[in-house]
Structure formats: C-alpha cells, structure tokens
Amino acid sequence: MAKPKTVFTCQSCGFKSPRWQGQCPECQTWHSFVEETEVQPTPGMRQQAPPVSTMRLNEIPDVENYRYPSRFAELDRVLGGGIVPGSVILLGGEPGIGKSTLLLQLLGALPQLPALYASGEESLTQIKLRANRLDLSLEHIHFANTTDTAAIVSRLKADKPKIAIIDSIQTLQSETLTGAAGSVGQIRESASALIEIAKQEEIAIVIVGHVTKSGEIAGPKVLEHMVDVVLYLEGDRLQHYRVLRANKNRFGDISEVGLFEMKTTGLQAISDPGNMFVASSEATSGAVRTITLEGSRPLLVELQALTVPSNFGYPKRTTSGLPLNRLQLLIAVLIRRASLRLHEQDVYASIVGGLSLSESALDLALCLSISSSLLDQRFPSDMIALGEISLSGALLPTPRTDLRIQEAKRLGFTRALVPQSEYDKIVRSQKGFSLIAVRSISEALAKLNWLPN
Ligand SMILES: Nc1ncnc2c1ncn2[C@@H]1O[C@H](COP(=O)(O)OP(=O)(O)OP(=O)(O)O)[C@@H](O)[C@H]1O
Ligand SMILES: [Mg+2]
C-alpha cells in the first residue's frame, strides 16, 4: 500500500488542500483547516476491476412491506408514510431540542421491529432514565454506549436489526482516520460505513447530526447528499412547540411538516393546532393573524411587530421566525407605496410560538402588523389577512386561498382581507364570512381606515 499522505481539510465545507491555509478559498471560513491522513488508492486498481454487474427492472425482485409505518403519525406524515427499509435518515436540530427523545419515542412506536440504539453521548443509565420518564416499552431494543464506528458496523452485521439509531454522527470515530471525532473526515468516513451496511443488510438507520450556529448540520455538505432523508427538528427551546421538517426525501414529498408539543412525557403530536400560535384573542397594536400553509395543512399564526423611533442614524430591523431580507423589502415597499414614515423607526417582527416561516403569503399580514404598530391602530380580532406583496405594492395571489378561508371560518373568524384576484376566484359571499378584496397595500390600509387624513 502506498504511504499515507496528509492533507488539510476545511472543517466547514470539506475542501482539501496540500498546505495549511488561514482562510478556506472555497467557503471563506477562517481557521477551519485540520490536518488529516489520506490513504491513496493503489495505482492500476481501476484496470483490474471486473465489469459491474447490471440488472433489468423486471429482474429486480419486488419488495413487500415497502415502509414500516409507526404509530407516530406526525413522523410518518413527514416521512411520506413511514420508514423505508434500508434507508438512511439524518436528523438535525439544536442542542436540547428533543432529537434523542423523538428517536426513542419512534422506537417505542415500532414495537415489532428489532432495533439497535447506539449512543456516544449518553450513558446507558441516562437512556434508561429517559425511557422510564417517557413510559416506553423498549424490551426489544439493544442499547449500546459507544463511539466506535467499526464496532457498531460489526454489531449491525451480526444482529441484522431492522432499524438502528446512531446518536450522534459527531461522536463517532473511525480507526482508519486520524483527526478528532466530529471532524469532516471522521464524519464522512463514519457516515459512508453506516450507509454501506444499511444498504447491504436493509437496515434503516437514523443518524443524529448536530447543527452549527447558522443552523446547518455540522460536517461536510456532502453528508446531506449521501443520506436518503434529511430531517430537521426546529422550534424555540424556551417554548414547547417543535416542528419536524424534511429538507430532502428520496421517498416522499418534502412539503409536509410534523407538529409536536414537548411535554414531560415526551413529544406529543399536535393534530389540531387551532389557536396554538396566537398570543391572545384580543386585538392589540402590532398583532395581525393570518393562515399559513405547512404542507397541505393550514395553520393559524399571529405576526407581531413593534416600531420605535431609532436612536441612531441607521435604523435597526430584527426578525424572529421570519426572513430578515423580506422584512427589509416590505419596509421599503411601505415607505414608497404607502408613504409610511418608517425611515427613522427601528422595526422588530416576530411570529408567536417560535415557528419559523418564509411563505410569501404572509407579506400582507407582516406589512399590516408593522403599520398597526406605527399608526397605533388595532387589527380586528375577527379578521385575517392574506396576500403576497410585489415591489409595486400590489397584492399577488396566494396558493390555496379556499383552504385557508375554510380554516379561518372553522376557528371562528368572520372576515378576511384577500387579493382581488383571489376574491374573483373563490365564492364571494360565504355564509357568515365576508371577503374584502384589496388590490394593493395602500388600499388595504384605506379599507381598514388606518390612513391619516
Ligand atoms: N423531566 C422533563 N420534563 C419535561 N421536559 C423535559 C424533561 N427532561 C427533558 N425534557 C425536555 O427534553 C429536552 C431534551 O431532549 P433531548 O435530550 O432529546 O434533546 P437532544 O436534541 O437530543 O439534545 P442533545 O443535542 O443535547 O443531545 C429538554 O430540552 C427539555 O425540553
Ligand atoms: Mg441527544
């Protein structure tokens, strides 16, 4: 075998360089290079390889039991109906958000499947404490406390369980590589060993991944390409709500989300979110309700904004749960198209309940919440606002307005501000519910009687 060569690998993006560098030329991260040993393939190996064997579709055996449905409906919804045998799922999320809890509950919801739970983060006693607290029956599961990738792979080969949980990829270490656990090389090596055994033995493997400060899964970007499904568990740790989202799914739609509430007994599915993401039923200055779509599910949310005169020449804009660049763009639209004096105002905007949303159908609600705070007007508590706003201040259509209106009606709302084009499309006078058509943001403010005379 050729002599091992050392390379310097960027811990942020996986870029390799023969020399140490202060800044990565690929992703511009500073001080991210770590020395790793790389084994060179033997020259001439390629010519000796036998031709790869191939098969026609009709020769490939059909699979029965294409998915393992769990009794955890919200998780199945996100996965597209259950876990596919032999698939590799990566679950990312902030520290303490509930990743280990979710996976232990998942095993509890799959009582028929032989399983392995390998944790490099918690001792067996700690896992038992959690299992007791969650009141799960986990007799069929083998637990291990290890950080050794090769030992886990051997155990999987020997026992051939149907599902395995690895908590977490950042704690694993492979002997064939130097470099600390959690380094790009170690993560890539361990992940590829796990993926290989998953495909060989048809073991579904769920791998927990830590996230970086910016919210991405720590390690090489290629990790997300290697696995079949990438899930994120999100939410505000200080609040109880958690959202499970798929960023990638080779076997299903990625638009569906799972909604949970964190309780002492673990994550509980929220099948009817109703008024959960609303602060109070009273109308307050700066608060506007709207209906967003999470996958195919309409969800009532409250947007809040606060405007205060800025102390500095450069006004501050801050968001929580909403994209900052969208807020800045909408403030510019309000200044130019509705003549609101926001130049010297700090603007803070947030979504109640710790959700993170980026749907453009929230534009009108966000603009109205800013206007409500600035003009000190209250948005009616029985009304919702729907619509995307263009740079010209015009209201653009929102997808599935009918579904949103239906949900608003179900929750007791009686009025909705909707874009003119949507008003023309859906039934105009719905019993006990009135639709107010608006063409632009300034028309919406005029219809609410908020514009100063
Ligand atoms: N006794 C308890 N009662 C209620 N909730 C609890 C209790 N103990 C823990 N929790 C909740 O569980 C969360 C921790 O969950 P868990 O350990 O599954 O998170 P994690 O995402 O695996 O974290 P890490 O990244 O640190 O491994 C806590 O933040 C808390 O919200
Ligand atoms: Mg954990």
Side-chain angles (χ1 to χ4, degrees):
M1 210 168 67
K3 190 168 143 253
K5 190 176 105 180
T6 63
V7 285
F8 291 85
T9 311
C10 167
Q11 298 298 293
S12 173
C13 70
F15 180 80
K16 286 184 190 305
S17 156
R19 285 170 294 110
W20 185 85
Q21 298 189 49
Q23 187 185 22
C24 174
E26 186 73 18
C27 68
Q28 268 71 48
T29 309
W30 285 93
H31 309 299
S32 60
F33 279 92
V34 168
E35 188 174 9
E36 287 174 354
T37 318
E38 200 176 49
V39 180
Q40 290 294 309
T42 324
M45 196 174 76
R46 297 249 49 96
Q47 285 82 358
Q48 292 159 14
V52 65
S53 61
T54 60
M55 266 186 175
R56 292 172 202 274
L57 275 187
N58 58 4
E59 293 161 357
I60 303 173
D62 285 328
V63 267
E64 287 171 34
N65 287 340
Y66 172 50
R67 288 173 192 270
Y68 305 133
S70 70
R71 292 183 311 201
F72 216 175
E74 289 295 291
L75 187 72
D76 283 355
R77 170 201 279 273
V78 180
L79 290 172
I83 296 180
V84 175
S87 65
V88 180
I89 300 170
L90 182 63
L91 171 67
E94 300 266 321
I97 200 80
K99 301 179 291 296
S100 309
T101 308
L102 178 73
L103 295 178
L104 209 55
Q105 284 184 272
L106 167 69
L107 293 185
L110 290 164
Q112 74 283 19
L113 287 187
L116 169 76
Y117 186 108
S119 176
E121 297 196 338
E122 289 163 304
S123 68
L124 296 177
T125 325
Q126 285 173 320
I127 297 170
K128 183 160 186 183
L129 277 176
R130 177 181 294 120
N132 288 347
R133 171 164 61 84
L134 304 178
D135 197 18
L136 296 172
S137 75
L138 301 168
E139 288 76 33
H140 59 296
I141 299 162
H142 294 265
F143 291 93
N145 174 246
T146 179
T147 57
D148 185 346
T149 312
I152 295 175
V153 170
S154 304
R155 174 55 65 197
L156 291 174
K157 247 187 205 149
D159 291 0
K160 301 192 179 33
K162 293 286 178 213
I163 181 163
I165 308 286
I166 311 293
D167 193 359
S168 64
I169 189 81
Q170 282 80 10
T171 57
L172 290 192
Q173 239 176 334
S174 183
E175 272 180 6
T176 51
L177 274 186
T178 58
S183 66
V184 167
Q186 289 286 1
I187 291 178
R188 197 175 34 224
E189 188 75 9
S190 299
S192 57
L194 290 169
I195 291 167
E196 195 183 321
I197 185 89
K199 305 291 161 187
Q200 256 172 26
E201 305 289 350
E202 288 252 301
I203 305 170
I205 300 188
V206 188
I207 302 173
V208 173
H210 293 172
V211 295
T212 59
K213 250 191 254 168
S214 60
E216 298 212 340
I217 291 179
K221 191 73 191 161
V222 67
L223 183 62
E224 297 186 34
H225 289 288
M226 288 159 76
V227 298
D228 298 309
V229 181
V230 180
L231 301 178
Y232 279 91
L233 187 61
E234 304 170 348
D236 188 335
R237 255 184 316 149
L238 301 178
Q239 311 227 20
H240 300 296
Y241 305 115
R242 303 283 184 272
V243 181
L244 185 69
R245 225 180 268 282
N247 254 32
K248 156 182 172 176
N249 189 352
R250 285 186 181 151
F251 317 108
D253 191 357
I254 56 161
S255 62
E256 292 297 343
V257 301
L259 292 174
F260 300 94
E261 191 174 357
M262 180 59 99
K263 296 196 168 162
T264 314
T265 49
L267 289 159
Q268 304 235 316
I270 306 173
S271 45
D272 181 9
N275 287 306
M276 283 187 146
F277 300 103
V278 168
S280 92
S281 55
E282 306 273 306
T284 47
S285 156
V288 174
R289 283 84 183 271
T290 183
I291 307 265
T292 186
L293 273 191
E294 280 287 19
S296 57
R297 180 157 52 183
L299 195 64
L300 171 68
V301 289
E302 180 174 312
L303 270 64
Q304 293 192 341
L306 183 68
T307 57
V308 281
S310 179
N311 269 333
F312 306 102
Y314 189 73
K316 196 169 155 187
R317 280 84 167 83
T318 313
T319 57
S320 143
L322 290 160
L324 180 63
N325 52 7
R326 197 74 199 160
L327 174 73
Q328 280 164 334
L329 184 143
L330 292 176
I331 291 172
V333 171
L334 284 170
I335 293 172
R336 278 295 306 275
R337 309 292 175 197
S339 311
L340 293 191
R341 299 195 52 82
L342 287 160
H343 326 70
E344 291 155 4
Q345 298 278 331
D346 289 344
V347 180
Y348 304 89
S350 71
I351 294 186
V352 172
L355 284 181
S356 219
L357 301 173
S358 56
E359 206 197 11
S360 43
L362 304 179
D363 285 357
L364 180 62
L366 182 54
C367 280
L368 291 177
S369 68
I370 298 167
S371 316
S372 160
S373 175
L374 181 78
L375 305 169
D376 205 16
Q377 297 279 3
R378 282 157 201 234
F379 189 74
S381 61
D382 64 338
M383 193 188 273
I384 60 155
L386 293 174
E388 180 179 344
I389 294 180
S390 73
L391 288 180
S392 65
L395 253 76
L396 305 176
T398 46
R400 299 305 313 270
T401 304
D402 50 342
L403 199 70
R404 299 177 205 248
I405 298 291
Q406 217 177 27
E407 176 71 357
K409 251 163 101 172
R410 186 180 77 86
L411 295 173
F413 289 84
T414 59
R415 293 183 282 169
L417 285 174
V418 294
Q420 179 77 51
S421 50
E422 293 298 317
Y423 179 82
D424 296 339
K425 255 193 276 171
I426 55 180
V427 191
R428 289 158 201 220
S429 66
Q430 310 208 13
K431 212 171 164 209
F433 198 93
S434 49
L435 295 176
I436 306 157
V438 279
R439 285 185 200 82
S440 64
I441 176 62
S442 54
E443 193 182 335
L445 294 172
K447 289 215 162 146
L448 286 164
N449 274 326
W450 283 6
L451 286 179
N453 297 318

PDB file of all heavy atoms in Angstrom, residues 105-132:
ATOM      1  N   GLN A 105     -38.817   7.674  21.198  1.00  0.00           N
ATOM      2  CA  GLN A 105     -40.271   7.501  21.038  1.00  0.00           C
ATOM      3  C   GLN A 105     -40.593   6.766  19.747  1.00  0.00           C
ATOM      4  O   GLN A 105     -41.525   5.969  19.701  1.00  0.00           O
ATOM      5  CB  GLN A 105     -40.957   8.866  21.038  1.00  0.00           C
ATOM      6  CG  GLN A 105     -41.056   9.453  22.424  1.00  0.00           C
ATOM      7  CD  GLN A 105     -41.837  10.753  22.390  1.00  0.00           C
ATOM      8  OE1 GLN A 105     -41.270  11.813  22.179  1.00  0.00           O
ATOM      9  NE2 GLN A 105     -43.136  10.670  22.569  1.00  0.00           N
ATOM     10  N   LEU A 106     -39.791   7.031  18.698  1.00  0.00           N
ATOM     11  CA  LEU A 106     -40.013   6.343  17.425  1.00  0.00           C
ATOM     12  C   LEU A 106     -39.836   4.837  17.616  1.00  0.00           C
ATOM     13  O   LEU A 106     -40.650   4.045  17.149  1.00  0.00           O
ATOM     14  CB  LEU A 106     -39.022   6.864  16.375  1.00  0.00           C
ATOM     15  CG  LEU A 106     -38.917   6.026  15.105  1.00  0.00           C
ATOM     16  CD1 LEU A 106     -40.206   6.134  14.295  1.00  0.00           C
ATOM     17  CD2 LEU A 106     -37.751   6.446  14.242  1.00  0.00           C
ATOM     18  N   LEU A 107     -38.780   4.439  18.343  1.00  0.00           N
ATOM     19  CA  LEU A 107     -38.560   3.008  18.575  1.00  0.00           C
ATOM     20  C   LEU A 107     -39.718   2.417  19.377  1.00  0.00           C
ATOM     21  O   LEU A 107     -40.150   1.299  19.122  1.00  0.00           O
ATOM     22  CB  LEU A 107     -37.234   2.777  19.292  1.00  0.00           C
ATOM     23  CG  LEU A 107     -35.981   3.127  18.483  1.00  0.00           C
ATOM     24  CD1 LEU A 107     -34.738   2.736  19.257  1.00  0.00           C
ATOM     25  CD2 LEU A 107     -35.978   2.432  17.136  1.00  0.00           C
ATOM     26  N   GLY A 108     -40.215   3.197  20.321  1.00  0.00           N
ATOM     27  CA  GLY A 108     -41.360   2.747  21.111  1.00  0.00           C
ATOM     28  C   GLY A 108     -42.604   2.559  20.250  1.00  0.00           C
ATOM     29  O   GLY A 108     -43.476   1.751  20.558  1.00  0.00           O
ATOM     30  N   ALA A 109     -42.664   3.337  19.144  1.00  0.00           N
ATOM     31  CA  ALA A 109     -43.846   3.262  18.271  1.00  0.00           C
ATOM     32  C   ALA A 109     -43.694   2.186  17.199  1.00  0.00           C
ATOM     33  O   ALA A 109     -44.556   2.031  16.353  1.00  0.00           O
ATOM     34  CB  ALA A 109     -44.093   4.617  17.622  1.00  0.00           C
ATOM     35  N   LEU A 110     -42.564   1.478  17.226  1.00  0.00           N
ATOM     36  CA  LEU A 110     -42.335   0.392  16.252  1.00  0.00           C
ATOM     37  C   LEU A 110     -42.062  -0.893  17.035  1.00  0.00           C
ATOM     38  O   LEU A 110     -40.970  -1.460  16.945  1.00  0.00           O
ATOM     39  CB  LEU A 110     -41.112   0.713  15.379  1.00  0.00           C
ATOM     40  CG  LEU A 110     -41.221   1.847  14.371  1.00  0.00           C
ATOM     41  CD1 LEU A 110     -39.850   2.267  13.884  1.00  0.00           C
ATOM     42  CD2 LEU A 110     -42.084   1.429  13.193  1.00  0.00           C
ATOM     43  N   PRO A 111     -43.017  -1.381  17.812  1.00  0.00           N
ATOM     44  CA  PRO A 111     -42.723  -2.456  18.760  1.00  0.00           C
ATOM     45  C   PRO A 111     -42.332  -3.771  18.098  1.00  0.00           C
ATOM     46  O   PRO A 111     -41.690  -4.605  18.703  1.00  0.00           O
ATOM     47  CB  PRO A 111     -44.021  -2.608  19.544  1.00  0.00           C
ATOM     48  CG  PRO A 111     -45.064  -1.980  18.719  1.00  0.00           C
ATOM     49  CD  PRO A 111     -44.415  -0.977  17.839  1.00  0.00           C
ATOM     50  N   GLN A 112     -42.683  -3.933  16.829  1.00  0.00           N
ATOM     51  CA  GLN A 112     -42.415  -5.224  16.192  1.00  0.00           C
ATOM     52  C   GLN A 112     -41.006  -5.322  15.610  1.00  0.00           C
ATOM     53  O   GLN A 112     -40.574  -6.390  15.216  1.00  0.00           O
ATOM     54  CB  GLN A 112     -43.476  -5.511  15.127  1.00  0.00           C
ATOM     55  CG  GLN A 112     -43.362  -4.697  13.844  1.00  0.00           C
ATOM     56  CD  GLN A 112     -43.854  -3.255  13.978  1.00  0.00           C
ATOM     57  OE1 GLN A 112     -43.966  -2.716  15.082  1.00  0.00           O
ATOM     58  NE2 GLN A 112     -44.131  -2.614  12.870  1.00  0.00           N
ATOM     59  N   LEU A 113     -40.284  -4.202  15.554  1.00  0.00           N
ATOM     60  CA  LEU A 113     -39.009  -4.217  14.835  1.00  0.00           C
ATOM     61  C   LEU A 113     -37.804  -4.379  15.757  1.00  0.00           C
ATOM     62  O   LEU A 113     -37.616  -3.594  16.678  1.00  0.00           O
ATOM     63  CB  LEU A 113     -38.829  -2.892  14.074  1.00  0.00           C
ATOM     64  CG  LEU A 113     -39.668  -2.665  12.838  1.00  0.00           C
ATOM     65  CD1 LEU A 113     -39.216  -1.398  12.154  1.00  0.00           C
ATOM     66  CD2 LEU A 113     -39.578  -3.828  11.882  1.00  0.00           C
ATOM     67  N   PRO A 114     -36.947  -5.382  15.486  1.00  0.00           N
ATOM     68  CA  PRO A 114     -35.708  -5.491  16.255  1.00  0.00           C
ATOM     69  C   PRO A 114     -34.863  -4.244  15.997  1.00  0.00           C
ATOM     70  O   PRO A 114     -34.748  -3.808  14.851  1.00  0.00           O
ATOM     71  CB  PRO A 114     -35.016  -6.727  15.669  1.00  0.00           C
ATOM     72  CG  PRO A 114     -35.966  -7.350  14.724  1.00  0.00           C
ATOM     73  CD  PRO A 114     -37.075  -6.401  14.443  1.00  0.00           C
ATOM     74  N   ALA A 115     -34.308  -3.660  17.062  1.00  0.00           N
ATOM     75  CA  ALA A 115     -33.620  -2.381  16.888  1.00  0.00           C
ATOM     76  C   ALA A 115     -32.349  -2.276  17.720  1.00  0.00           C
ATOM     77  O   ALA A 115     -32.212  -2.935  18.751  1.00  0.00           O
ATOM     78  CB  ALA A 115     -34.573  -1.253  17.251  1.00  0.00           C
ATOM     79  N   LEU A 116     -31.446  -1.421  17.237  1.00  0.00           N
ATOM     80  CA  LEU A 116     -30.229  -1.098  17.990  1.00  0.00           C
ATOM     81  C   LEU A 116     -30.216   0.401  18.225  1.00  0.00           C
ATOM     82  O   LEU A 116     -30.518   1.180  17.308  1.00  0.00           O
ATOM     83  CB  LEU A 116     -28.986  -1.499  17.176  1.00  0.00           C
ATOM     84  CG  LEU A 116     -27.655  -0.986  17.736  1.00  0.00           C
ATOM     85  CD1 LEU A 116     -27.240  -1.814  18.944  1.00  0.00           C
ATOM     86  CD2 LEU A 116     -26.548  -1.034  16.688  1.00  0.00           C
ATOM     87  N   TYR A 117     -29.884   0.813  19.444  1.00  0.00           N
ATOM     88  CA  TYR A 117     -29.761   2.240  19.745  1.00  0.00           C
ATOM     89  C   TYR A 117     -28.345   2.457  20.253  1.00  0.00           C
ATOM     90  O   TYR A 117     -27.993   2.021  21.341  1.00  0.00           O
ATOM     91  CB  TYR A 117     -30.793   2.621  20.806  1.00  0.00           C
ATOM     92  CG  TYR A 117     -30.872   4.108  21.105  1.00  0.00           C
ATOM     93  CD1 TYR A 117     -31.964   4.863  20.690  1.00  0.00           C
ATOM     94  CD2 TYR A 117     -29.867   4.753  21.814  1.00  0.00           C
ATOM     95  CE1 TYR A 117     -32.052   6.217  20.958  1.00  0.00           C
ATOM     96  CE2 TYR A 117     -29.947   6.114  22.084  1.00  0.00           C
ATOM     97  CZ  TYR A 117     -31.038   6.836  21.651  1.00  0.00           C
ATOM     98  OH  TYR A 117     -31.116   8.166  21.914  1.00  0.00           O
ATOM     99  N   ALA A 118     -27.521   3.089  19.424  1.00  0.00           N
ATOM    100  CA  ALA A 118     -26.127   3.313  19.821  1.00  0.00           C
ATOM    101  C   ALA A 118     -25.935   4.782  20.129  1.00  0.00           C
ATOM    102  O   ALA A 118     -26.172   5.643  19.283  1.00  0.00           O
ATOM    103  CB  ALA A 118     -25.197   2.887  18.699  1.00  0.00           C
ATOM    104  N   SER A 119     -25.535   5.060  21.369  1.00  0.00           N
ATOM    105  CA  SER A 119     -25.347   6.456  21.758  1.00  0.00           C
ATOM    106  C   SER A 119     -23.906   6.687  22.174  1.00  0.00           C
ATOM    107  O   SER A 119     -23.338   5.915  22.943  1.00  0.00           O
ATOM    108  CB  SER A 119     -26.277   6.804  22.915  1.00  0.00           C
ATOM    109  OG  SER A 119     -26.005   8.127  23.334  1.00  0.00           O
ATOM    110  N   GLY A 120     -23.327   7.736  21.646  1.00  0.00           N
ATOM    111  CA  GLY A 120     -21.984   8.107  22.060  1.00  0.00           C
ATOM    112  C   GLY A 120     -22.068   9.293  22.996  1.00  0.00           C
ATOM    113  O   GLY A 120     -21.068   9.812  23.477  1.00  0.00           O
ATOM    114  N   GLU A 121     -23.290   9.765  23.232  1.00  0.00           N
ATOM    115  CA  GLU A 121     -23.471  10.999  24.003  1.00  0.00           C
ATOM    116  C   GLU A 121     -23.951  10.735  25.413  1.00  0.00           C
ATOM    117  O   GLU A 121     -23.665  11.501  26.316  1.00  0.00           O
ATOM    118  CB  GLU A 121     -24.494  11.893  23.301  1.00  0.00           C
ATOM    119  CG  GLU A 121     -24.013  12.320  21.948  1.00  0.00           C
ATOM    120  CD  GLU A 121     -24.787  13.483  21.368  1.00  0.00           C
ATOM    121  OE1 GLU A 121     -25.935  13.695  21.790  1.00  0.00           O
ATOM    122  OE2 GLU A 121     -24.218  14.166  20.505  1.00  0.00           O
ATOM    123  N   GLU A 122     -24.750   9.670  25.567  1.00  0.00           N
ATOM    124  CA  GLU A 122     -25.340   9.435  26.879  1.00  0.00           C
ATOM    125  C   GLU A 122     -25.009   8.031  27.365  1.00  0.00           C
ATOM    126  O   GLU A 122     -24.892   7.107  26.566  1.00  0.00           O
ATOM    127  CB  GLU A 122     -26.854   9.584  26.783  1.00  0.00           C
ATOM    128  CG  GLU A 122     -27.282  11.009  26.578  1.00  0.00           C
ATOM    129  CD  GLU A 122     -28.703  11.101  26.074  1.00  0.00           C
ATOM    130  OE1 GLU A 122     -29.016  10.497  25.044  1.00  0.00           O
ATOM    131  OE2 GLU A 122     -29.492  11.767  26.731  1.00  0.00           O
ATOM    132  N   SER A 123     -24.900   7.901  28.678  1.00  0.00           N
ATOM    133  CA  SER A 123     -24.633   6.577  29.246  1.00  0.00           C
ATOM    134  C   SER A 123     -25.923   5.768  29.212  1.00  0.00           C
ATOM    135  O   SER A 123     -27.024   6.319  29.037  1.00  0.00           O
ATOM    136  CB  SER A 123     -24.158   6.724  30.684  1.00  0.00           C
ATOM    137  OG  SER A 123     -25.228   7.188  31.469  1.00  0.00           O
ATOM    138  N   LEU A 124     -25.785   4.458  29.399  1.00  0.00           N
ATOM    139  CA  LEU A 124     -26.968   3.597  29.364  1.00  0.00           C
ATOM    140  C   LEU A 124     -27.949   3.978  30.469  1.00  0.00           C
ATOM    141  O   LEU A 124     -29.164   3.917  30.290  1.00  0.00           O
ATOM    142  CB  LEU A 124     -26.537   2.131  29.478  1.00  0.00           C
ATOM    143  CG  LEU A 124     -25.678   1.643  28.301  1.00  0.00           C
ATOM    144  CD1 LEU A 124     -25.233   0.209  28.504  1.00  0.00           C
ATOM    145  CD2 LEU A 124     -26.433   1.764  26.982  1.00  0.00           C
ATOM    146  N   THR A 125     -27.404   4.398  31.617  1.00  0.00           N
ATOM    147  CA  THR A 125     -28.287   4.807  32.724  1.00  0.00           C
ATOM    148  C   THR A 125     -29.110   6.022  32.330  1.00  0.00           C
ATOM    149  O   THR A 125     -30.307   6.108  32.624  1.00  0.00           O
ATOM    150  CB  THR A 125     -27.442   5.171  33.970  1.00  0.00           C
ATOM    151  OG1 THR A 125     -26.327   4.312  34.013  1.00  0.00           O
ATOM    152  CG2 THR A 125     -28.235   5.135  35.233  1.00  0.00           C
ATOM    153  N   GLN A 126     -28.462   6.971  31.656  1.00  0.00           N
ATOM    154  CA  GLN A 126     -29.193   8.179  31.242  1.00  0.00           C
ATOM    155  C   GLN A 126     -30.302   7.821  30.251  1.00  0.00           C
ATOM    156  O   GLN A 126     -31.406   8.366  30.325  1.00  0.00           O
ATOM    157  CB  GLN A 126     -28.229   9.175  30.586  1.00  0.00           C
ATOM    158  CG  GLN A 126     -27.339   9.877  31.589  1.00  0.00           C
ATOM    159  CD  GLN A 126     -26.283  10.729  30.902  1.00  0.00           C
ATOM    160  OE1 GLN A 126     -25.713  10.333  29.883  1.00  0.00           O
ATOM    161  NE2 GLN A 126     -26.013  11.880  31.474  1.00  0.00           N
ATOM    162  N   ILE A 127     -29.992   6.891  29.349  1.00  0.00           N
ATOM    163  CA  ILE A 127     -31.007   6.482  28.366  1.00  0.00           C
ATOM    164  C   ILE A 127     -32.176   5.809  29.081  1.00  0.00           C
ATOM    165  O   ILE A 127     -33.338   6.061  28.783  1.00  0.00           O
ATOM    166  CB  ILE A 127     -30.404   5.529  27.303  1.00  0.00           C
ATOM    167  CG1 ILE A 127     -29.314   6.270  26.519  1.00  0.00           C
ATOM    168  CG2 ILE A 127     -31.473   5.001  26.366  1.00  0.00           C
ATOM    169  CD1 ILE A 127     -28.491   5.397  25.608  1.00  0.00           C
ATOM    170  N   LYS A 128     -31.844   4.994  30.082  1.00  0.00           N
ATOM    171  CA  LYS A 128     -32.909   4.300  30.822  1.00  0.00           C
ATOM    172  C   LYS A 128     -33.795   5.298  31.562  1.00  0.00           C
ATOM    173  O   LYS A 128     -35.022   5.165  31.578  1.00  0.00           O
ATOM    174  CB  LYS A 128     -32.292   3.306  31.807  1.00  0.00           C
ATOM    175  CG  LYS A 128     -33.349   2.517  32.546  1.00  0.00           C
ATOM    176  CD  LYS A 128     -32.855   1.257  33.146  1.00  0.00           C
ATOM    177  CE  LYS A 128     -34.029   0.498  33.729  1.00  0.00           C
ATOM    178  NZ  LYS A 128     -33.627  -0.712  34.405  1.00  0.00           N
ATOM    179  N   LEU A 129     -33.142   6.311  32.145  1.00  0.00           N
ATOM    180  CA  LEU A 129     -33.918   7.341  32.854  1.00  0.00           C
ATOM    181  C   LEU A 129     -34.924   7.991  31.913  1.00  0.00           C
ATOM    182  O   LEU A 129     -36.083   8.197  32.266  1.00  0.00           O
ATOM    183  CB  LEU A 129     -32.978   8.421  33.394  1.00  0.00           C
ATOM    184  CG  LEU A 129     -32.297   8.128  34.718  1.00  0.00           C
ATOM    185  CD1 LEU A 129     -31.323   9.258  35.062  1.00  0.00           C
ATOM    186  CD2 LEU A 129     -33.360   8.011  35.818  1.00  0.00           C
ATOM    187  N   ARG A 130     -34.452   8.309  30.708  1.00  0.00           N
ATOM    188  CA  ARG A 130     -35.348   8.953  29.747  1.00  0.00           C
ATOM    189  C   ARG A 130     -36.475   7.994  29.348  1.00  0.00           C
ATOM    190  O   ARG A 130     -37.639   8.381  29.316  1.00  0.00           O
ATOM    191  CB  ARG A 130     -34.587   9.430  28.520  1.00  0.00           C
ATOM    192  CG  ARG A 130     -35.548  10.020  27.496  1.00  0.00           C
ATOM    193  CD  ARG A 130     -34.919  10.520  26.226  1.00  0.00           C
ATOM    194  NE  ARG A 130     -34.052  11.659  26.426  1.00  0.00           N
ATOM    195  CZ  ARG A 130     -32.765  11.661  26.127  1.00  0.00           C
ATOM    196  NH1 ARG A 130     -32.220  10.589  25.606  1.00  0.00           N
ATOM    197  NH2 ARG A 130     -32.040  12.718  26.336  1.00  0.00           N
ATOM    198  N   ALA A 131     -36.111   6.742  29.076  1.00  0.00           N
ATOM    199  CA  ALA A 131     -37.133   5.766  28.659  1.00  0.00           C
ATOM    200  C   ALA A 131     -38.191   5.613  29.738  1.00  0.00           C
ATOM    201  O   ALA A 131     -39.388   5.538  29.452  1.00  0.00           O
ATOM    202  CB  ALA A 131     -36.480   4.439  28.346  1.00  0.00           C
ATOM    203  N   ASN A 132     -37.753   5.605  31.010  1.00  0.00           N
ATOM    204  CA  ASN A 132     -38.711   5.496  32.116  1.00  0.00           C
ATOM    205  C   ASN A 132     -39.625   6.709  32.162  1.00  0.00           C
ATOM    206  O   ASN A 132     -40.833   6.593  32.359  1.00  0.00           O
ATOM    207  CB  ASN A 132     -37.983   5.357  33.452  1.00  0.00           C
ATOM    208  CG  ASN A 132     -37.348   3.993  33.585  1.00  0.00           C
ATOM    209  OD1 ASN A 132     -37.655   3.090  32.806  1.00  0.00           O
ATOM    210  ND2 ASN A 132     -36.441   3.840  34.537  1.00  0.00           N
TER     211      ASN A 132
END
